[in-house]
Structures are given as structure tokens and as C-alpha cells.
Amino acid sequence: MASPGKKIERPVIDNPLLNIKVNPDGSLKRDPEPRNPANPDPNVAGAVLSKDLPLDANKKTWLRLYIPRQVKIHPSSSSKLPVIIYYHGGGFVFYNADSAFIDVFCKGLVEKVGVMVISLDYRLAPEHRLPAAYEDAMDGLYWIKTVKDKWLSQYADLNNCFLCGTSAGGNLAYHAGLMAAAAGMELRPMNINGLILHHPYFSGTKRTGSEERLKNDPFLPLYSIDQMFDLSLPEGADHDHEYCNPLVNGGSKNIDLMKSMGWRVLVTGCFDDPLMDAGLECANMLEGKGMQTVKFFTDGYHAMEVYDASMSGPLYDAIKDFIHCRSNE
């Protein structure tokens, strides 16, 4: 793992995490944000195609699928692609699969890593507290297992799938992974080979060193970390609930199931992220339980590669190496 170096400048963005407002009815005030429509037309310029498909109409959940434009134009010359099932960040309370910067990040995964991406639009808290998002993630995995979709049948290598998420999405990928490991053969023909936890959103009642050092971080201050967990955890739960702190009781028993299935884990972080130490502690815990664990930590701030696409190159390289089992050391 690299050592801290230079400070990375943060872009100026409209950051809702700094001023979270709850309405009198308990719902969250969410201002309009830029959204990107899907683009399934190969005749339109762009390296990546995308389309939206419903998941559960009652829950208002849906999925955005991404493929390289090239495989649509020249299908006979293309082998099937590894699949990344992606979960967006936002503290479980903000953003959507079509949020502009999340859409751009997913397109980058497709273009730079060489994968098919399936991005889940899950239910948000506090209107739908955890484990609602985890349940939506499992709905998505069963959808992949059973749906008859041309993009999946023609381009997806369902034997080579990875659960990936940024921030709260990293937390979601971890817990969806625990649930998927318990489901085991029920998810066949889909085969999950590992987890990619990008700046995962974990915390606890005991402050980590990075939380203390960066409690006034301009992007993700400690009060925002706490408030979003208060809004998303089950009513009455403290921050040592298993949904918040993966180290509770020594970690989930389902980790042994993931290990027995040969899953690998990539945990990434940045040195100026308050969540860095919690992510590193999770990686060390998994490694201590015998899981093959890769750590990729660099200079920068929380979710840097999502907020600023120009910073995403090294992360995409690390994910590409991980998926293709090349060393990240």
C-alpha cells in the first residue's frame, strides 16, 4: 500500500451531504440534480451504450445496463464480458443510478476496464431504512439469474461476476455479498468471483484515526457520516450495528462462505478520506480470516474518482488488474 503524498484539490460541487434536511413527515429533502438519460442506440456517438430496465414496480427499483458500443457493432468478433454489478454512493440517502456523475463513472468502468456494468437504482433511506437497499440488491441478483434479456445473453459472462460499490455502495456490495454467499447455488448460473469495495462507508461507535483527523473534512465531515447512518440504520440502532460496523462480533459468519467459494476482495481508499481507516480495518479483518484481499490506497479524497472523472485512471487500472487476477502490488 502506498504512503500519503501530495494533497489532491477537490472540485467545487453542489454537495447535499453538507446540509441534510429532514421534512416534517420524516422524508428527506432532495433538490433536483443533473441526470443522464440512457443511450441504447449504437448510431449515436459514444464508446458505451446503456439502457434502463425495471426491477420491481412496487418498490420502484430499476437497473441501468451498460455495454461497450463496439460489441454491438461487431458482435461476432467479441467474447463475453465480465460483469460488474454496481451500487452507487450517497450515504444511502442521496443519488440515483442515473445521477450524471455516477453514470459517467459507470461508462468509464465499461470503457477502461472492459466489462458489462449493471447499475442498481435502489430504495433510499430514511423513507426505506436498511436492510431495504440490501434486499433490493438481492432482487437484482435474482433478476440477473432469471431474466431473458438480449444484452445479458449475448454479452455477459455470468460465470465471472463482481459486486462493486462506491461509499454507501461499497457497504451495500459487502452486505449483498454476505447475503449472496448464503444463497449459494440459488443464484446459478451467475457466479460471483469477488467484491470491489471502493471507499466503503463503514463506521462505529469508536472513532477511527482518520475520522478524528479529518472530522472537519470539506467533502464528508464527521457529522454527515453520523447523520446519514442515523437516517439509514434501523430505528434505535447505534453505530456498532452490523450494517455500519463490519467488525462487530469478529465479523459475519458468512465470510467463511465467501472464502470457501474462492471469492477475492479489492478494498480501495484515499488518505484524505475520513472513512479510510474503517475501510482498511475491514480489509485487514477479511485478510485475517483467510480471504484473498487486495488493498489499493492512494492520495486523494472520498469518492474522488466518481466526483472527478479525470482522477479515475489508476482506480480503473486497479479494478482491471483485480478482475483479471493480475497483481496490484
Side-chain angles (χ1 to χ4, degrees):
M1 188 174 74
S3 299
K6 66 179 181 179
K7 295 281 186 181
I8 305 296
E9 290 296 323
R10 293 161 166 80
V12 177
I13 64 167
D14 183 11
N15 185 355
L17 310 185
L18 301 179
N19 188 23
I20 300 170
K21 296 179 180 179
V22 180
N23 296 317
D25 65 358
S27 64
L28 203 68
K29 183 180 184 298
R30 299 181 181 92
D31 293 329
E33 57 162 324
R35 304 287 188 95
N36 285 352
N39 172 31
D41 186 353
N43 298 311
V44 175
V48 177
L49 303 180
S50 59
K51 66 177 180 179
D52 296 339
L53 294 173
L55 178 56
D56 187 317
N58 292 325
K59 297 177 182 177
K60 299 181 181 179
T61 54
W62 54 275
L63 301 146
R64 176 164 290 185
L65 280 60
Y66 299 83
I67 58 171
R69 178 171 175 265
Q70 192 68 16
V71 303
K72 189 76 170 177
I73 297 173
H74 303 293
S76 60
S77 62
S78 303
S79 58
K80 290 193 173 185
L81 300 165
V83 178
I84 287 179
I85 298 97
Y86 181 75
Y87 310 111
H88 68 79
F92 292 113
V93 299
F94 288 113
Y95 305 136
N96 297 94
D98 60 352
S99 295
F101 61 94
I102 291 165
D103 178 68
V104 169
F105 180 75
C106 288
K107 288 175 180 174
L109 281 172
V110 173
E111 184 177 5
K112 303 300 183 183
V113 180
V115 294
M116 178 178 184
V117 170
I118 302 174
S119 179
L120 171 68
D121 195 78
Y122 54 88
R123 290 172 293 170
L124 299 177
E127 296 87 350
H128 305 281
R129 289 177 175 265
L130 296 173
Y134 305 153
E135 293 167 352
D136 295 343
M138 288 303 296
D139 288 347
L141 298 183
Y142 280 107
W143 180 91
I144 294 168
K145 162 193 164 74
T146 58
V147 75
K148 305 300 181 184
D149 175 77
K150 282 189 176 181
W151 283 17
L152 279 173
S153 61
Q154 292 179 4
Y155 310 123
D157 180 1
L158 292 184
N159 197 45
N160 195 16
C161 297
F162 297 83
L163 307 186
C164 172
T166 299
S167 190
N171 176 309
L172 204 169
Y174 177 75
H175 285 282
L178 295 175
M179 296 169 73
M185 298 297 291
E186 290 181 14
L187 292 173
R188 293 289 186 178
M190 185 174 64
N191 184 50
I192 297 170
N193 289 325
L195 309 178
I196 301 167
L197 311 183
H198 176 225
H199 302 194
Y201 181 45
F202 297 129
S203 189
T205 56
K206 182 180 178 181
R207 294 304 181 199
T208 67
S210 59
E211 284 178 331
E212 289 284 9
R213 177 171 56 88
L214 297 163
K215 61 186 178 182
N216 296 317
D217 182 76
F219 251 39
L220 187 64
L222 192 55
Y223 73 82
S224 292
I225 295 171
D226 288 346
Q227 187 178 9
M228 289 186 293
F229 267 126
D230 289 342
L231 290 169
S232 58
L233 289 172
E235 292 278 5
D238 68 18
H239 291 191
D240 277 335
H241 191 281
E242 61 182 318
Y243 297 162
C244 181
N245 185 351
L247 307 184
V248 169
N249 298 321
S252 171
K253 294 179 180 179
N254 288 2
I255 294 170
D256 290 336
L257 294 176
M258 293 195 293
K259 177 185 173 183
S260 70
M261 295 174 184
W263 292 16
R264 298 173 291 119
V265 183
L266 170 63
V267 181
T268 79
C270 284
F271 297 121
D272 283 333
D273 179 359
L275 299 178
M276 186 195 83
D277 284 354
L280 183 58
E281 288 173 355
C282 179
N284 290 340
M285 180 267 292
L286 294 170
E287 191 172 46
K289 289 182 176 292
M291 289 200 67
Q292 184 179 340
T293 306
V294 178
K295 304 164 194 171
F296 178 76
F297 286 75
T298 64
D299 293 318
Y301 53 90
H302 183 68
M304 169 180 73
E305 299 90 349
V306 176
Y307 286 117
D308 185 350
S310 70
M311 306 298 296
S312 60
L315 173 68
Y316 290 152
D317 289 343
I319 294 175
K320 187 174 183 178
D321 287 344
F322 177 74
I323 286 177
H324 296 286
C325 301
R326 293 191 289 265
S327 173
N328 292 75
E329 300 299 325

